[in-house]
């Protein structure tokens, strides 16, 4: 049951990443207030890029921050340009320049993660962000959530949103812990300074080189001042699921030995890469329990092969804020509604992202040749319409009418 302050529930958001800040921003837009508790002493993102697909751009526009983001973002002309590992033969490419806005009303951008976090921060009141607050426990006392932090502070809230990422503490209060499975894959990520990047990597394109057991994606970010590299390869014994594990350029190069020389040159120009294992997590059966819910990677971590994890966190935030605003007297019911609106879509994205690894990593042979032929007959921009055209307000309209 909601606490005494029924009109303006006290909402605690654990985690100040893209999902947590988006939640605070959408709550504010809906006339509610959330306090973000972030463990780090400053809001920061890793030095890496992100694709902002039309479904995310639409919501950033609604928050009033897309214009500011566009000052540093790169507007892509070409998306998902699949190339053969050995010689760069183009297998398939999305024509974003002429079709993306026409089909989905928004463009596709690439950004540096820190730039996205910065613009989201402008949509959240400064005093709604508490830094250096690592949540260590969440208890329900007579149904009311109480958060504990590592500095000894406690905070009571009417509603708790766990936006605390893949190792979520809040998740333990919602559902049984499920161990993550070892995926056998690891990800390398690195930035290449723009002035060291070959011109083909500075095109306004999201390029994917696919080959046996591996693939590599690159695109320019920060107005072309850097090129973002992210690559997937067999993990060996590496099992660190973290953004902080370091690797060397030599280790990165070894993975792509024998690939198209343009690609090898690009990797050689990279700054110190990070490497971490991708752990495999099945969709959770539930995200909410009473007044506690999850959002973003805490709820639905996914392989990044559709570049949709952050976009889904932003969509979650938009739907969650509306559900709470429309049912402020009964948060548990509002959270159940949020979960039922969001869980099927994010589970589908988890599944298709999972399946993409096998497709991208086929060994050369009949299966690979059939895949490459099928690329020619499909337009991924249209095939992915269910991802890009999603609008939370539209998705809630028929459901709201039925309810
Ligand atoms: P996080 O970004 O993990 O943020 C969680 C926050 O909570 C952090 O700030 C953390 O410090 C804080 N926190 C954690 N524990 C606590 C605690 N106990 N107390 C307080 N604070 C805590 N998505 C896209 O949309 N497009 C892409 O192109 C894309 N590319 C990707 C490429 C790679 C290689 C990977 C791995 C992911 C990619 N994603 C992409 C996915 C995207 O990065 C994530 O889905 C997104 O960052 C999730 O945001 P989040 O806020 O849910 O979690």
């Amino acid at each position: 049951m909601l606490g005494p302050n029924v009109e303006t529930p006290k909402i605690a958001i654990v985690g100040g990443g893209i999902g947590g800040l988006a939640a605070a921003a959408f709550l504010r837009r809906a006339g509610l207030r959330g306090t973000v508790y972030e463990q780090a002493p400053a809001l920061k993102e890793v030095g890496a890029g992100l694709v902002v697909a039309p479904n995310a751009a639409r919501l950033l526009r609604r928050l009033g921050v897309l214009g500011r983001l566009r000052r540093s973002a790169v507007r892509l002309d070409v998306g998902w340009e699949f190339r053969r590992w050995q010689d760069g033969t183009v297998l398939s490419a999305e024509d974003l320049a002429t079709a993306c806005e026409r089909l989905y009303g928004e463009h596709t951008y690439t950004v540096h993660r820190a730039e996205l976090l910065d613009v989201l921060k402008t949509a959240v009141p400064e005093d709604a962000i508490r830094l250096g607050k690592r949540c260590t426990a969440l208890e329900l006392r007579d149904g009311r959530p109480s958060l504990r932090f590592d500095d000894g502070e406690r905070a009571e809230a009417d509603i708790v949103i766990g936006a605390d990422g893949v190792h979520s503490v809040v998740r333990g209060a919602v559902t049984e812990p499920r161990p993550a499975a070892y995926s056998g894959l690891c990800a390398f990520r690195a930035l290449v300074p723009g002035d060291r990047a070959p011109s083909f990597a500075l095109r306004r394109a999201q390029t994917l080189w696919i080959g046996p057991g591996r693939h590599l994606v690159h695109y320019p970010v920060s107005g072309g001042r850097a090129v973002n590299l992210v690559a997937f390869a067999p993990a060996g014994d590496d099992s660190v699921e973290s953004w902080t594990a370091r690797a060397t350029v030599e280790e990165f190069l070894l993975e792509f030995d024998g690939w198209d020389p343009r690609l090898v040159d690009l990797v050689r120009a990279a700054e110190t890469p990070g490497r971490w294992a991708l752990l495999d997590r099945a969709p959770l059966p539930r995200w909410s329990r009473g007044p506690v819910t999850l959002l973003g990677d805490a709820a639905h971590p996914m392989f990044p092969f559709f570049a949709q994890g952050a976009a889904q966190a932003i969509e979650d935030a938009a739907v969650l804020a509306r559900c709470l605003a429309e049912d402020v007297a009964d948060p548990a019911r509002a959270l159940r509604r949020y979960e039922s609106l969001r869980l099927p879509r994010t589970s589908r994205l988890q599944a298709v992202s999972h399946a993409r690894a096998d497709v991208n990593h086929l060994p050369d042979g009949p299966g690979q040749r059939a895949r490459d032929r099928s690329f020619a007959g499909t337009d991924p921009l249209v095939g992915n319409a269910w991802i890009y055209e999603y609008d939370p307000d539209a998705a809630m309209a028929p459901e709201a009418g039925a309810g």
Side-chain angles (χ1 to χ4, degrees), residues 1 159 288-291 324 327 329-337:
M1 209 181 74
I159 299 162
S288 306
R289 187 180 293 274
L324 286 171
D327 201 357
D330 192 342
R333 186 172 59 197
L335 298 185
R336 281 196 304 276
R337 179 178 173 219

Side-chain angles (χ1 to χ4, degrees), residues 254-272:
L254 264 182
E255 298 292 344
F256 293 90
D257 189 28
W259 286 46
D260 187 304
R262 290 172 291 178
L263 183 67
V264 173
D265 286 347
L266 180 62
V267 175
R268 195 171 283 127
E271 291 174 337
T272 308

Side-chain angles (χ1 to χ4, degrees), residues 63-394:
L63 283 178
V65 301
L66 185 65
R68 198 185 296 246
L69 186 65
R70 282 167 49 145
R71 289 184 204 155
S72 56
V74 175
R75 203 183 88 184
L76 292 185
D77 290 335
V78 181
W80 298 114
E81 184 187 76
F82 285 90
R83 286 176 178 257
R84 179 164 162 74
W85 67 278
Q86 209 171 23
D87 56 11
T89 303
V90 176
L91 305 168
S92 157
E94 289 176 345
D95 170 12
L96 297 179
T98 60
C100 192
E101 193 184 18
R102 177 171 50 78
L103 289 170
Y104 304 119
E106 293 289 352
H107 291 289
T108 298
Y109 303 90
T110 53
V111 301
H112 191 290
R113 286 167 180 265
E115 293 160 357
L116 177 54
L117 208 66
D118 278 351
V119 300
L120 284 172
K121 203 164 62 180
T122 65
V124 180
E126 217 169 295
D127 63 357
I129 301 174
R130 305 275 317 272
L131 299 170
K133 290 285 166 196
R134 190 168 75 82
C135 177
T136 51
L138 166 60
E139 292 154 15
L140 289 177
R141 296 180 173 175
D142 300 327
R144 190 152 198 262
S146 168
L147 293 164
R148 206 163 350 115
F149 297 96
D150 65 348
D151 59 2
E153 188 181 325
R154 279 180 177 275
E156 306 280 317
D158 298 306
I159 299 162
V160 171
I161 300 170
D164 48 345
V166 71
H167 300 295
S168 172
V169 169
V170 177
R171 191 167 50 212
V174 167
T175 185
E176 292 295 310
R178 283 197 176 177
Y182 176 66
S183 74
L185 287 173
C186 74
F188 286 85
R189 66 175 169 86
L191 290 173
V192 179
D195 56 6
R196 281 167 40 192
S199 56
F200 83 86
L202 288 167
R203 294 174 310 132
R204 295 170 172 274
Q206 181 193 4
T207 305
L208 280 89
W209 300 72
I210 56 176
R214 291 163 176 73
H215 80 275
L216 187 147
V217 186
H218 59 81
Y219 45 80
V221 293
S222 303
R225 290 191 301 284
V227 171
N228 184 68
L229 295 189
V230 53
F232 304 92
D237 295 331
D238 189 355
S239 62
V240 184
E241 189 185 40
S242 132
W243 280 104
T244 52
R246 291 271 156 225
T248 63
V249 171
E250 287 67 34
E251 287 168 322
F252 196 163
L253 278 169
L254 264 182
E255 298 292 344
F256 293 90
D257 189 28
W259 286 46
D260 187 304
R262 290 172 291 178
L263 183 67
V264 173
D265 286 347
L266 180 62
V267 175
R268 195 171 283 127
E271 291 174 337
T272 308
R275 178 177 57 181
W276 69 103
L278 288 185
L279 299 187
D280 210 356
R281 291 166 190 270
L284 292 175
R286 60 190 296 169
W287 297 356
S288 306
R289 187 180 293 274
V292 181
T293 196
L294 303 172
L295 169 154
D297 278 8
H300 46 69
M302 57 185 71
F303 284 176
F305 303 151
F306 272 78
Q308 274 289 318
Q312 292 309 304
I314 296 169
E315 287 183 5
D316 288 346
V319 174
L320 177 56
R322 247 193 81 173
C323 287
L324 286 171
E326 288 174 7
D327 201 357
V328 82
D330 192 342
R333 186 172 59 197
L335 298 185
R336 281 196 304 276
R337 179 178 173 219
Y338 154 69
E339 177 182 313
S340 68
L341 281 162
R342 295 294 303 155
L343 201 142
R345 174 167 168 84
T346 57
S347 299
R348 182 175 176 193
L349 267 157
Q350 283 177 291
V352 295
S353 301
H354 184 96
R356 188 68 157 257
D358 293 337
V359 177
N360 284 356
H361 295 172
L362 283 172
D364 279 352
Q368 161 265 326
R369 286 194 290 277
R371 175 200 65 197
D372 293 356
R373 278 195 303 277
S374 77
F375 269 132
T378 54
D379 180 344
L381 191 59
V382 175
N384 290 336
W386 68 277
I387 301 176
Y388 302 141
E389 70 194 6
Y390 180 86
D391 182 329
D393 289 345

